[in-house]
Amino acid sequence: MVNVLYFYAMIMSIVLIYIIGDISKILRNILAIFIFLYSLVSTVFVNEAGFTINVMKSMNLNMSFSYSGIGTFFVILNHIAFGVILINILNNINKKRDNGFLFNIFLIFYLTTLLFMSSNLFTFFIMWEFISILIYFNIGIFDKKENSGLKYILMNALGGMSLLLAMAMIFNFTGTLDFERLSSLYYLIPRSQAIVIILLFTFAMLIKSAFWGLHTWVKDAYMRSNTCFTAYMSSVLSKIGIFGLILLFYKIFPYDYVIQIFTFYNIQFFRIFFTIGGSITAILATIMAIKEQNVKAILTYSSIAQVGYIIASFGLGYRWSIISIMTITTVHLLIKTSLFSDLSFIEYKTGQTDGVELGGLIKVIPFTFVSTLISIIALAGIVPLMGFAAKWIYFENMFISGHYIALIISFLASTLAFLYCYKILSIVFLGIINEKNSSINYFSSLGDSIVTIVNMIIPIALVIFGFYPYPFFRFMFEKISKILPSANVFLSGNFIESSIGYWNPLNIATIVVIIFVSMFIIFVLLMRKPRKVSQYDIAMSAEPVRSHNNLHYVMNFYDGFLEVVKPITSKSSKRFYGKIYGFIEDIGDVLRKLHLNSLTSKNILTGIIIIVLIIVIWSAV
Amino acid sequence: MNIVWTVLGIIGVYIYGVFLMGLGRKISARVQLRYGPPVYQNYIDILKLWTKKTNISHGIMFDLGPVFLLTGSIGTLLLIPIAATEQLMYFGFSGDIIVIMYLMVFGSLGFALAASQGANPFGIMGISRALTLLAAYELPFILGIVILMMDANSASLSNIISHQAGGYMNWYIFKQPLAAIPAFIALLGMMGKQPFDIPIAPQEIATGPMAEFGGKYLGMMMSSHAIFMTAKYILFVNLFLGGAGNPINMIFKVFLIWLFPLFVGLVYPRFKTSQAVRFFWGVPSLIGLIGLIIHWLR
């Protein structure tokens, strides 16, 4: 159950993992699984009131945790993702020094659970900061140059400062940081101050979520980390920013109030910013993903793109925003957990994530291919898997809320996503197998078999909830019922409906399955059996193909497309920030010159002061 | 009874689709001053391919590719009303155009995976070109669709059809020309005929995705192409030509639309991939955008 015991027991146990890891690997693994199950049972299966830990009594600051509503939903998602990732980690790590990594990620998981359970802003901030520092340590382990870790911590420190400032302002006007009380005291904050608070808070959350322009830390941090940790960052940690925004717009300030204070000249800037900004994030990240040939980099940009859809969903309007945010968040979390876990397994087996070195792995790791294939289909949003439900809700409501330009941009981004989705499958699993990888032993240990089975859980869930999503939606509506009491009108029998259309997932899935099975029987079972040929037995200008022929098509995969989007891909946020930095340096240079103890600079300064004085006096007269 | 009509509908569309493919070959030949194959040549080709003794497989995805492809084609067809009769409005479906658009990709993805497992670089190159082309024509197409959705205030295909009732001047091709123009230009890309036959480009990449397929595989792909192509034409009839009251009417309207990509293809040479993307994201998209803004301001 969620109480003070859970708070302390988890810390002690995680420390124990680190200590036992030095003694026995098996004991460490068993303990890690046991602790995870303890957390799962405590937070997911037992519904209990929260607890409070006094920090600064005199200032009325408490670390307070509760277990209800939307936070619960995120806690459950956190456990699902971490459960799968943990099994992969335990299989992948062998050396004693990896204990530190396991200790770190376990601690991050635990603090993230607490963050989602925080019932006041102070707790949220403390957890946020701890997590940021721990992530920095984790990235530092794998990145010896420490550039990516530094980049990460600098950007997040900027976010942390904004959050702290916003928090201080809220406390100044309301005298509380408790979410429940804030929802009824927000009106005490003057409008102009409320605008500043929202901007600061949003800025902090957008850095964490990797909004385009604030994403400069993401690629390095994701690429240089252990792939299992990247899985956790992409699936769960990127959602901390989203969770923070939900708190801001649904718990601290009412959604409609935020729209109202950001409406100038009858234009709702809040909604425009989120829908357009989110869509642009989605499309630019998608284009960058298409350009990459390292699978980890492709998935990194894909992750930014998916978060773009979630951010855009904030502009859809009170009711549909939260439904769209929660659905896309869930789907993205599941898909990215699955894809990165599969990738970590591939990396474990081949030592590579670069597409140039991979290819043809379907022959040696077929179940991992199936798992990746299903997740990719869901990621692309193709009917009838669960990814489509998220896309449908998003597009329909983008249309209903009248954001047509954002709809077009998002739709194009979604179509472009097919390009990198296919690229992943093609360069990793299909085509000619690399000679180095042809001797891979799929199930070389018990751990490999367990990982393969565990990695199939999420894809199977994506299929089941694609065919029959109703239990998922009912569960989600129950969890968001405090924010949105009437969400279940969105389901009507087996139909999912909006004001402009509806569809029946079960009906569509049934059609697809019946046709697929019929065609399979006719084509594969009843028609003449084919003759299997070797991978080099292909039609190539009548020339016999040998293993030395480079047939693995990876380079210039979408060269025609990339030629067109070169003006976009050649631009870099780093260069943009570099220019700003250069501009500030130039101003600094001018000021420095003015402060030089030379006669010329003094003359210039005196001249400027005289001119300013003349202007002031003249305008006063 | 519904199942019988469904099967009959699929067979009817299939036969008509193969006929159009054969007729297209004949017309192309006559324009190029050749005699050309007989109109029924494609029926013979498919029958021959199905019964071929030698079939070569490169693996499980290679085998499943045609199954995916046919599933996507037939599934798409079943979500599009062929005619406003009870029997040909399959499953009483009046759902969403967005569902149809995403189901259309199902078959293509499976086929792409099959071509990749064929391990022929030309196949993968062809697929990469096909996907690039998809991204290119999707922009003008979705612009056209959004304008129709705005006009009908619905994403339901049956609602869009019912908004065109009351005479041909109510058809969206006349009522919303700024939606129809980009969508019909996008249709040229969808059909993959010249000048947008970049994915197969026989002289460059040896028919691209089809390079490794023969026998029953090629037969299935030709069959799927016939159904998918006709389904897309039927979709366009529903979107822009007011749908059809009976199957004969639909056959006639599909034939009219089918002539458009055929004749354009006979006149223009092939684009390069980058040229095609620039083309679709250029003038047609701009027309669609203007249409969207005009409709929005109204």
Side-chain angles (χ1 to χ4, degrees):
Chain A
M1 62 192 75
V2 186
N3 54 21
V4 184
L5 177 68
Y6 173 80
F7 185 82
Y8 292 113
M10 282 294 287
I11 295 179
M12 308 269 279
S13 315
I14 293 166
V15 173
L16 204 62
I17 291 178
Y18 185 69
I19 297 165
I20 287 185
D22 278 347
I23 303 162
S24 162
K25 187 187 158 191
I26 296 172
L27 266 180
R28 179 196 66 189
N29 291 357
I30 292 170
L31 183 66
I33 291 170
F34 176 77
I35 296 168
F36 170 73
L37 290 175
Y38 166 68
S39 180
L40 185 74
V41 172
S42 302
T43 58
V44 177
F45 293 118
V46 181
N47 204 344
E48 182 108 346
F51 61 96
T52 302
I53 296 167
N54 285 323
V55 180
M56 281 183 257
K57 264 189 181 173
S58 56
M59 285 187 72
N60 199 21
L61 284 178
N62 299 316
M63 285 222 287
S64 175
F65 305 93
S66 65
Y67 190 69
S68 63
I70 214 149
T72 320
F73 194 77
F74 277 88
V75 168
I76 294 167
L77 292 179
N78 186 23
H79 278 78
I80 294 170
F82 188 72
V84 173
I85 293 164
L86 178 66
I87 301 296
N88 280 275
I89 292 171
L90 296 179
N91 189 42
N92 290 9
I93 59 174
N94 288 311
K95 295 168 190 156
K96 276 188 178 176
R97 71 179 179 87
D98 292 335
N99 288 334
F101 170 67
L102 184 61
F103 171 73
N104 177 291
I105 194 168
F106 230 114
L107 210 51
I108 293 173
F109 155 71
Y110 163 62
L111 292 173
T112 309
T113 305
L114 291 180
L115 180 139
F116 290 142
M117 286 160 58
S118 55
S119 60
N120 67 36
L121 207 46
F122 176 69
T123 316
F124 179 83
F125 177 74
I126 296 290
M127 295 305 146
W128 163 289
E129 284 299 314
F130 271 128
I131 292 166
S132 297
I133 293 163
L134 286 168
I135 293 172
Y136 169 67
F137 287 150
N138 204 318
I139 297 168
I141 295 172
F142 296 95
D143 181 18
K144 300 300 173 202
K145 290 178 186 169
E146 295 180 12
N147 283 339
S148 54
L150 197 63
K151 217 182 279 179
Y152 165 79
I153 200 72
L154 279 176
M155 285 299 281
N156 279 272
L158 201 62
M161 279 190 286
S162 302
L163 183 57
L164 186 65
L165 198 57
M167 207 168 78
M169 288 175 76
I170 291 172
F171 191 75
N172 183 37
F173 288 108
T174 61
T176 184
L177 292 174
D178 188 77
F179 293 135
E180 289 304 319
R181 290 180 63 198
L182 276 173
S183 59
S184 56
L185 291 176
Y186 70 91
Y187 62 87
L188 292 174
I189 305 171
R191 186 179 185 236
S192 57
Q193 314 285 344
I195 289 174
V196 174
I197 290 169
I198 291 168
L199 289 177
L200 287 169
F201 202 112
T202 306
F203 178 68
M205 298 306 133
L206 291 183
I207 287 179
K208 204 73 166 178
S209 311
F211 187 74
W212 200 261
L214 304 173
H215 71 289
T216 46
W217 60 273
V218 180
K219 190 184 173 190
D220 286 345
Y222 279 34
M223 288 295 290
R224 303 259 173 100
S225 304
N226 178 303
T227 306
C228 292
F229 187 67
T230 311
Y232 193 62
M233 280 207 286
S234 168
S235 58
V236 178
L237 298 179
S238 64
K239 308 298 177 299
I240 291 178
I242 303 301
F243 181 68
L245 287 174
I246 294 174
L247 291 179
L248 179 67
F249 301 134
Y250 284 91
K251 288 215 163 181
I252 301 173
F253 294 101
Y255 186 90
D256 291 334
Y257 176 71
V258 179
I259 288 181
Q260 185 201 324
I261 63 173
F262 279 95
T263 299
F264 304 102
Y265 306 105
N266 282 334
I267 300 171
Q268 297 181 345
F269 283 96
F270 168 82
R271 295 177 73 173
I272 291 172
F273 171 77
F274 275 101
T275 48
I276 297 287
S279 310
I280 287 174
T281 299
I283 196 161
L284 292 180
T286 304
I287 289 171
M288 292 308 289
I290 294 167
K291 193 184 169 192
E292 297 291 341
Q293 60 187 30
N294 188 313
V295 185
K296 207 167 169 181
I298 296 175
L299 290 177
T300 298
Y301 278 115
S302 159
S303 189
I304 299 174
Q306 296 296 314
V307 172
Y309 293 119
I310 303 173
I311 291 171
S313 300
F314 277 97
L316 291 180
Y318 176 74
R319 182 180 166 205
W320 288 105
S321 276
I322 193 71
I323 294 178
S324 180
I325 291 163
M326 298 301 282
T327 313
I328 304 176
T329 297
T330 309
V331 169
H332 175 240
L333 181 136
L334 295 176
I335 291 171
K336 281 295 161 6
T337 305
S338 170
L339 288 176
F340 273 113
S341 298
D342 288 338
L343 183 63
S344 87
F345 187 72
I346 291 165
E347 192 181 17
Y348 172 65
K349 287 286 174 190
T350 64
Q352 284 295 335
T353 60
D354 193 340
V356 176
E357 301 290 331
L358 299 168
L361 291 182
I362 187 175
K363 293 187 175 76
V364 286
I365 48 172
F367 294 109
T368 308
F369 167 72
V370 173
S371 157
T372 309
L373 174 65
I374 294 172
S375 300
I376 286 279
I377 292 176
L379 177 68
I382 295 172
V383 183
L385 298 195
M386 198 187 173
F388 178 71
K391 286 268 165 73
W392 185 85
I393 291 168
Y394 177 83
F395 288 131
E396 292 272 312
N397 294 293
M398 203 50 109
F399 179 82
I400 292 166
S401 59
H403 297 289
Y404 304 118
I405 300 297
L407 168 69
I408 301 288
I409 297 171
S410 304
F411 203 93
L412 185 61
S414 175
T415 307
L416 288 173
F418 295 139
L419 274 70
Y420 71 72
C421 285
Y422 167 71
K423 189 174 179 179
I424 293 171
L425 293 169
S426 179
I427 65 178
V428 178
F429 292 101
L430 303 170
I432 303 278
I433 191 165
N434 191 323
E435 290 287 321
K436 282 184 282 184
N437 299 329
S438 55
S439 56
I440 285 173
N441 184 359
Y442 196 5
F443 302 118
S444 56
S445 67
L446 177 66
D448 290 349
S449 317
I450 295 171
V451 165
T452 308
I453 293 167
V454 169
N455 285 355
M456 283 301 287
I457 293 173
I458 289 179
I460 290 170
L462 289 170
V463 174
I464 292 171
F465 287 123
F467 286 24
Y468 201 77
Y470 318 108
F472 161 73
F473 281 119
R474 287 194 191 100
F475 179 73
M476 188 179 89
F477 295 150
E478 187 197 319
K479 294 298 170 198
I480 61 173
S481 57
K482 273 193 180 174
I483 292 174
L484 198 62
S486 58
N488 56 0
V489 293
F490 153 78
L491 287 181
S492 171
N494 281 346
F495 286 91
I496 296 178
E497 57 182 26
S498 71
S499 62
I500 58 159
Y502 60 86
W503 66 297
N504 185 336
L506 190 62
N507 198 347
I508 305 275
T510 311
I511 294 172
V512 171
V513 169
I514 290 174
I515 301 169
F516 189 87
V517 172
S518 315
M519 290 303 123
F520 182 82
I521 292 169
I522 294 170
F523 185 70
V524 179
L525 303 182
L526 296 183
M527 288 178 121
R528 206 184 291 271
K529 294 276 177 293
R531 178 169 59 88
K532 297 268 184 225
V533 293
S534 84
Q535 62 175 350
Y536 296 111
D537 195 353
I538 56 174
M540 284 291 288
S541 313
E543 293 286 335
V545 179
R546 299 279 181 266
S547 58
H548 64 263
N549 291 105
N550 184 12
L551 300 171
H552 187 39
Y553 188 63
V554 182
M555 315 287 273
N556 307 323
F557 205 93
Y558 292 114
D559 55 348
F561 175 76
L562 292 172
E563 193 187 315
V564 178
V565 294
K566 203 175 176 187
I568 297 171
T569 53
S570 60
K571 297 275 185 307
S572 159
S573 301
K574 283 179 202 166
R575 237 175 290 158
F576 171 71
Y577 287 120
K579 276 185 184 167
I580 293 177
Y581 173 77
F583 178 68
I584 294 168
E585 270 251 310
D586 290 346
I587 293 173
D589 260 357
V590 172
L591 290 175
R592 269 196 293 278
K593 276 176 191 161
L594 290 176
H595 277 85
L596 278 177
N597 199 16
S598 72
L599 191 63
T600 324
S601 63
K602 278 178 183 168
N603 287 346
I604 293 169
L605 196 61
T606 317
I608 290 170
I609 291 169
I610 289 168
I611 290 167
V612 170
L613 276 174
I614 290 169
I615 293 169
V616 169
I617 293 165
W618 180 62
S619 56
V621 170
Chain B
M1 199 57 195
N2 230 347
I3 294 172
V4 175
W5 276 109
T6 305
V7 175
L8 283 177
I10 294 166
I11 293 171
V13 167
Y14 175 46
I15 292 170
Y16 185 50
V18 179
F19 167 75
L20 288 178
M21 285 161 71
L23 188 64
R25 289 172 74 180
K26 188 76 183 171
I27 293 174
S28 303
R30 299 309 297 151
V31 171
Q32 292 160 358
L33 300 177
R34 291 184 287 116
Y35 185 74
V39 174
Y40 54 83
Q41 182 63 45
N42 279 41
Y43 296 109
I44 298 168
D45 286 349
I46 290 172
L47 206 63
K48 177 195 76 181
L49 290 166
W50 275 354
T51 50
K52 251 184 134 178
K53 278 182 184 171
T54 315
N55 292 300
I56 285 172
S57 166
H58 284 273
I60 183 74
M61 277 317 294
F62 193 86
D63 291 340
L64 289 180
V67 179
F68 269 95
L69 195 57
L70 216 51
T71 305
S73 306
I74 296 174
T76 307
L77 177 67
L78 294 185
L79 298 186
I80 303 170
I82 291 181
T85 60
E86 198 185 326
Q87 291 83 3
L88 293 171
M89 295 278 283
Y90 300 123
F91 305 106
F93 184 82
S94 54
D96 234 275
I97 183 113
I98 295 173
V99 180
I100 296 168
M101 288 172 77
Y102 272 85
L103 188 59
M104 281 164 85
V105 191
F106 183 86
S108 311
L109 183 80
F111 174 57
L113 296 177
S116 275
Q117 199 173 24
N120 192 321
F122 286 144
I124 303 170
M125 221 178 278
I127 294 293
S128 86
R129 288 173 172 212
L131 286 172
T132 307
L133 194 62
L134 169 80
Y137 67 68
E138 205 71 11
L139 182 59
F141 183 58
I142 188 66
L143 278 162
I145 296 289
V146 169
I147 296 171
L148 299 194
M149 282 165 67
M150 285 164 83
D151 193 86
N153 195 27
S154 175
S156 161
L157 195 53
S158 51
N159 280 350
I160 290 173
I161 295 168
S162 63
H163 262 78
Q164 302 174 74
Y168 66 88
M169 282 315 286
N170 280 341
W171 293 355
Y172 276 133
I173 195 170
F174 300 119
K175 209 161 78 172
Q176 291 292 348
L178 294 180
I181 292 168
F184 271 86
I185 294 175
L187 179 71
L188 297 175
M190 270 184 208
M191 290 304 145
K193 287 194 178 299
Q194 277 187 324
F196 302 108
D197 59 340
I198 310 156
I200 50 169
Q203 301 89 335
E204 293 173 49
I205 52 172
T207 67
M210 270 96 79
E212 282 302 310
F213 293 92
K216 66 172 184 176
Y217 295 89
L218 197 57
M220 274 305 222
M221 280 160 60
M222 279 180 74
S223 307
S224 173
H225 177 68
I227 296 173
F228 201 35
M229 175 191 78
T230 317
K232 283 191 266 193
Y233 285 125
I234 293 171
L235 178 66
F236 265 74
V237 169
N238 285 326
L239 287 174
F240 293 100
L241 270 64
N246 57 61
I248 304 297
N249 198 346
M250 179 57 81
I251 287 170
F252 178 68
K253 284 181 177 177
V254 165
F255 182 76
L256 279 182
I257 298 184
W258 170 79
L259 289 173
F260 172 59
L262 180 76
F263 288 146
V264 171
L266 288 170
V267 177
Y268 289 99
R270 187 185 309 132
F271 276 114
K272 287 203 288 185
T273 315
S274 54
Q275 285 173 330
V277 178
R278 284 202 182 94
F279 171 77
F280 281 117
W281 287 4
V283 176
S285 299
L286 195 67
I287 294 170
L289 199 61
I290 292 167
L292 186 89
I293 292 167
I294 290 173
H295 207 283
W296 196 0
L297 293 176
R298 260 190 232 162

